[in-house]
Amino acid sequence: MELVEVIFDIPLWKSFDYLPGKYGKDIGIWRRVLVPFKNRKEVGFVWNIKRVEKIERKDFYLEIIKIYDSNPLINEEILSLIEFISERYFSPPGQSVFSIIGSFALK
């Protein structure tokens, strides 16, 4: 079983866990996804994919609604820049990612 960690363009040093749902095999790190967030839908980046043995409360997690990218948008060079921005300017990773990539058009 997998949980997908998603980061957003918000001032929090935190990721949020989602179930891959029907996109289990298509999920990959550094792809944009549409997910339910609070009372709206938000675009975020897949930060990590965690393998877990079992999920106690599946009803606690929401599912990914849509995947926008078939390939990762971030390579090693961009990742280095994101890490630099986060450390240098004390910016959460989600805001650093969206400051660089966030303006790409959604499909």
Side-chain angles (χ1 to χ4, degrees), residues 40-95:
R40 61 190 186 278
K41 296 174 184 172
E42 287 287 328
V43 175
F45 271 89
V46 175
W47 175 256
N48 189 24
I49 299 172
K50 300 188 282 191
R51 308 231 185 265
V52 293
E53 283 188 31
K54 91 176 188 184
I55 298 174
E56 298 280 329
R57 294 190 53 204
K58 271 192 169 181
D59 60 325
F60 181 74
Y61 298 100
L62 300 172
E63 290 187 358
I64 291 173
I65 298 169
K66 182 177 182 178
I67 299 175
Y68 288 106
D69 309 302
S70 56
N71 296 313
L73 292 181
I74 295 175
N75 60 26
E76 290 299 318
E77 289 178 17
I78 295 173
L79 182 58
S80 295
L81 179 60
I82 289 166
E83 290 170 349
F84 171 78
I85 291 171
S86 286
E87 291 172 14
R88 172 82 171 159
Y89 299 105
F90 304 106
S91 171
Q95 288 189 311

Side-chain angles (χ1 to χ4, degrees), residues 3-51:
L3 284 176
V4 179
E5 288 184 73
V6 178
I7 55 175
F8 300 98
D9 189 10
I10 56 175
L12 291 177
W13 292 82
K14 176 180 176 20
S15 61
F16 297 86
D17 293 337
Y18 290 88
L19 293 170
K22 66 181 180 182
Y23 298 107
K25 295 180 182 177
D26 299 326
I27 292 288
I29 297 175
W30 298 123
R31 289 170 174 85
R32 291 173 297 174
V33 292
L34 182 67
V35 294
F37 188 76
K38 295 196 177 193
N39 60 350
R40 61 190 186 278
K41 296 174 184 172
E42 287 287 328
V43 175
F45 271 89
V46 175
W47 175 256
N48 189 24
I49 299 172
K50 300 188 282 191
R51 308 231 185 265

